[in-house]
Amino acid sequence: MIAMAETAGNKELLAHAKDVKAKGGKYCDCSACTPAAAILKMKDVILNNSKAGKIIAGLQIIVTQLSQQADGHVIQSRIFAAQGLSKLAAQYEEHAAEERGYVVRCIDRIIDLGGEVKLENKTCAPIFKDAVEYLKHDLQVSKDGLKWLAELVKCAQADLTTFGILSDYYKDEEGDMYWAEQQLGLIELIGKQNWFAKQI
């Protein structure tokens, strides 16, 4: 404010700017500057209500929740490996690697869009020793996540780069959901013990 007045060479404006600053003001209170100051004060609200703000917020949710999900898949992979279910362990290890790849892509996109990436707290998630119970749990997580993700994909349609990232992620999650459904159907058909034998 003061620098602008000095540049303009306006002594009255400079005196007023110094007076506003001395009284603790951050912005000039003239008729031209007051509306701009109001917009600046509301910038977070405006950004969050805009499509770009919603997309950045959605990408941040993916970064936080998907990194947690990847950690969970790594833990479950090691539990299943210890039980001798090596094929199932490899499947979830692959899930985790894919998820971390999407986390990186979402982080990069937040930065590209001018957003601020956050390292947020993650909620505690259950760990399973029973592989079948975990399949059921993981299937429900995929179903719930895809409903939310579909809305974010729609929101990002005009942003082709983000749309591409989210579409790829959606297809991958949908594939994981179908795989879990297929495995649970197979367990119903051949029985739990026979299915375990196929995972060794």
Side-chain angles (χ1 to χ4, degrees):
M1 179 171 61
I2 292 174
M4 286 178 63
E6 286 175 336
T7 302
N10 189 321
K11 291 181 182 178
E12 287 182 14
L13 180 59
L14 180 58
H16 179 68
K18 287 182 177 179
D19 183 52
V20 169
K21 185 175 181 182
K23 291 177 180 174
K26 188 174 179 182
Y27 303 108
C28 176
D29 59 359
C30 76
S31 59
C33 294
T34 300
I39 291 169
L40 285 171
K41 286 178 184 176
M42 295 292 291
K43 69 176 181 177
D44 291 335
V45 174
I46 292 166
L47 181 62
N48 287 335
N49 288 332
S50 70
K51 273 197 173 180
K54 287 178 183 176
I55 290 167
I56 290 169
L59 291 170
Q60 179 62 58
I61 289 170
I62 293 171
V63 168
T64 301
Q65 294 187 358
L66 194 57
S67 58
Q68 170 82 333
Q69 193 171 314
D71 288 344
H73 280 151
V74 169
I75 292 169
Q76 291 295 161
S77 171
R78 302 325 303 149
I79 288 170
F80 298 147
Q83 293 172 347
L85 306 173
S86 58
K87 289 181 183 174
L88 190 62
Q91 181 72 28
Y92 278 111
E93 190 174 344
E94 185 180 319
H95 281 354
E98 288 171 350
E99 286 159 350
R100 292 200 195 286
Y102 285 114
V103 168
V104 169
R105 289 177 73 184
C106 288
I107 289 169
D108 288 345
R109 191 58 187 153
I110 291 171
I111 294 167
D112 289 344
L113 292 171
E116 183 179 339
V117 184
K118 299 169 189 170
L119 183 60
E120 297 176 321
N121 289 333
K122 299 179 180 77
T123 55
C124 186
I127 298 298
F128 294 79
K129 290 188 177 179
D130 186 310
V132 177
E133 289 305 308
Y134 184 64
L135 272 174
K136 292 176 184 175
H137 168 78
D138 208 38
L139 174 59
Q140 192 57 53
V141 168
S142 288
K143 286 180 176 179
D144 293 342
L146 283 170
K147 284 180 189 175
W148 172 84
L149 184 57
E151 292 303 312
L152 186 60
V153 172
K154 283 180 193 174
C155 184
Q157 281 180 330
D159 176 353
L160 295 181
T161 302
T162 306
F163 181 77
I165 294 167
L166 295 176
S167 295
D168 288 348
Y169 174 43
Y170 187 95
K171 289 172 192 171
D172 193 61
E173 274 296 302
E174 191 177 50
D176 292 345
M177 179 186 72
Y178 290 145
W179 177 83
E181 284 178 339
Q182 181 188 57
Q183 298 310 305
L184 288 168
L186 193 59
I187 291 163
E188 287 251 339
L189 190 67
I190 67 175
K192 191 173 178 177
Q193 294 308 316
N194 288 328
W195 182 77
F196 278 155
K198 286 182 171 291
Q199 303 305 319
I200 294 171

